[in-house]
Amino acid sequence: QEWRWTLKQPKAGLSRPTSHCLLPVEMALFSASTLLAAPLCEPYSAFFGFMGVTSAVVFANLGAAYGTAKSGVGISAMGVMRPDMVMR
């Protein structure tokens, strides 16, 4: 059975115009039937997805650590050369 979008009519007497919207129960049935009818993914697709997320987090943290270290080295070098400029 194919689910169709069912629209709820706006109530009369509302102060502002509302657009048509899908009822929550019908939305849940539509999503459940769509997900169950969809073909399943390959077993290794989750592995590659999680590896992508892991590599993004790792590289983001490495970049943040590199930037922090480079800034610390610059502030330390400035403290050696011009101690009066450190707190400026």
Side-chain angles (χ1 to χ4, degrees), residues 7-24:
L7 298 176
K8 180 174 67 171
Q9 297 296 325
K11 294 179 182 176
L14 289 178
S15 59
R16 62 181 175 83
T18 57
S19 61
H20 297 294
C21 59
L22 194 64
L23 293 173

Side-chain angles (χ1 to χ4, degrees), residues 18-82:
T18 57
S19 61
H20 297 294
C21 59
L22 194 64
L23 293 173
V25 173
E26 293 162 347
M27 188 183 326
L29 290 174
F30 178 77
S31 355
S33 65
T34 305
L35 286 175
L36 290 175
L40 296 175
C41 297
E42 297 294 328
Y44 52 82
S45 62
F47 170 76
F48 286 114
F50 281 110
M51 286 306 290
V53 170
T54 302
S55 64
V57 169
V58 165
F59 288 128
N61 285 324
L62 284 175
Y66 176 75
T68 303
K70 193 141 176 90
S71 173
V73 167
I75 292 172
S76 299
M78 188 175 61
V80 169
M81 301 300 227
R82 308 237 353 228

